[in-house]
Amino acid sequence: AQTVTQSQPEMSVQEAETVTLSCTYDTSESNYYLFWYKQPPSRQMILVIRQEAYKQQNATENRFSVNFQKAAKSFSLKISDSQLGDTAMYFCAFMNPRNSGNTPLVFGKGTRLSVIA
Amino acid sequence: GAVVSQHPSWVICKSGTSVKIECRSLDFQATTMFWYRQFPKQSLMLMATSNEGSKATYEQGVEKDKFLINHASLTLSTLTVTSAHPEDSSFYICSARIRAASYEQYFGPGTRLTVT
């Protein structure tokens, strides 16, 4: 079974600074998807970024980028120019696309990020 | 973007009663919907996976007779907590996948259930 590990339960960063959230996963599959989700205090889950394992290029979305190291099974999230609105729980998630669209996401335990003014 | 709604957003019920939570995909058809439970400051715990027109697949340890899931159409899934007890109090979140080839999940805003 796949597992996702987020080793940092809590982190903080000064506004406008850069922070990196770590995520490692364990799988024997070669094709899979990785995600970062954000859950602000409202508790609405929001997709931040997605990475397909077969793509070597790291995904980026504005201030959010990932460092995907397939051999090391590492998928870290970098947030640049941190903003107060980035304060949230961040969940790393893994999905094996086998069995078509029925395969659920496997979530890590999350990292609580606080952006300090 | 794709929008998923949940109703109600917050519900209080007495012990022993049943409560139904609705999950709707507003602007797309969801081939698969997922139901999660989340305790404070914890991750999402998958309860079940449902496909339109077929029985839900429950995760190990989830009582299918207590948590009834119905996925009657491509835009609506419901979770009914039967004979609720205080330990069922939690935050319930539904999620929908647009189509089999898409691996992005869109989440509802969640429902806070309090059983007194």
Side-chain angles (χ1 to χ4, degrees):
Chain A
Q2 290 87 6
T3 58
V4 177
T5 301
Q6 293 179 249
S7 58
Q8 305 149 315
E10 294 187 18
M11 294 189 72
S12 61
V13 62
Q14 290 289 129
E15 198 175 6
E17 296 296 307
T18 296
V19 64
T20 299
L21 280 58
S22 66
C23 171
T24 58
Y25 56 93
D26 186 26
T27 184
S28 58
E29 303 289 336
S30 59
N31 184 32
Y32 49 85
Y33 293 80
L34 294 162
F35 305 85
W36 278 99
Y37 280 90
K38 168 184 177 181
Q39 189 180 40
S42 67
R43 302 190 80 169
Q44 171 72 61
M45 293 284 284
I46 301 165
L47 176 65
V48 175
I49 202 164
R50 181 181 84 167
Q51 175 81 42
E52 292 94 339
Y54 61 85
K55 289 186 177 179
Q56 292 188 340
Q57 186 173 7
N58 289 324
T60 62
E61 286 288 342
N62 301 314
R63 297 182 295 108
F64 299 88
S65 62
V66 298
N67 183 1
F68 173 48
Q69 301 289 328
K70 191 172 184 180
K73 296 180 183 176
S74 171
F75 183 61
S76 60
L77 174 69
K78 185 172 81 172
I79 305 174
S80 304
D81 186 25
S82 297
Q83 300 176 0
L84 296 177
D86 295 333
T87 293
M89 277 289 285
Y90 287 82
F91 293 101
C92 179
F94 171 100
M95 200 198 82
N96 177 354
R98 195 174 352 135
N99 196 25
S100 192
N102 286 345
T103 309
L105 292 170
V106 177
F107 285 97
K109 291 188 175 182
T111 295
R112 183 173 301 278
L113 176 67
S114 298
V115 180
I116 303 166
Chain B
V3 178
V4 177
S5 71
Q6 268 184 255
H7 178 79
S9 58
W10 180 52
V11 59
I12 301 175
C13 71
K14 292 186 182 296
S15 187
T17 63
S18 296
V19 60
K20 180 185 287 187
I21 302 169
E22 289 189 351
C23 176
R24 294 182 184 271
S25 55
L26 297 185
D27 50 3
F28 65 97
Q29 292 185 328
T31 53
T32 306
M33 285 187 172
F34 304 88
W35 286 94
Y36 296 87
R37 183 173 180 176
Q38 187 180 32
F39 292 103
K41 298 187 178 181
Q42 292 189 23
S43 188
L44 281 69
M45 182 186 77
L46 180 67
M47 299 176 66
T49 301
S50 74
N51 291 288
E52 182 262 341
S54 59
K55 289 184 179 180
T57 301
Y58 290 82
E59 294 298 299
Q60 193 172 11
V62 177
E63 299 176 60
K64 60 182 67 176
D65 293 332
K66 180 169 190 59
F67 298 99
L68 300 179
I69 291 171
N70 184 288
H71 193 159
S73 76
L74 286 171
T75 60
L76 173 64
S77 177
T78 60
L79 167 67
T80 301
V81 183
T82 62
S83 187
H85 290 285
E87 56 265 31
D88 299 325
S89 298
S90 191
F91 193 68
Y92 293 88
I93 303 174
C94 75
S95 178
R97 198 164 278 165
I98 294 179
R99 56 189 181 276
S102 169
Y103 303 115
E104 291 180 359
Q105 278 185 227
Y106 295 92
F107 288 80
T111 297
R112 182 180 303 281
L113 170 64
T114 301
V115 184
T116 60

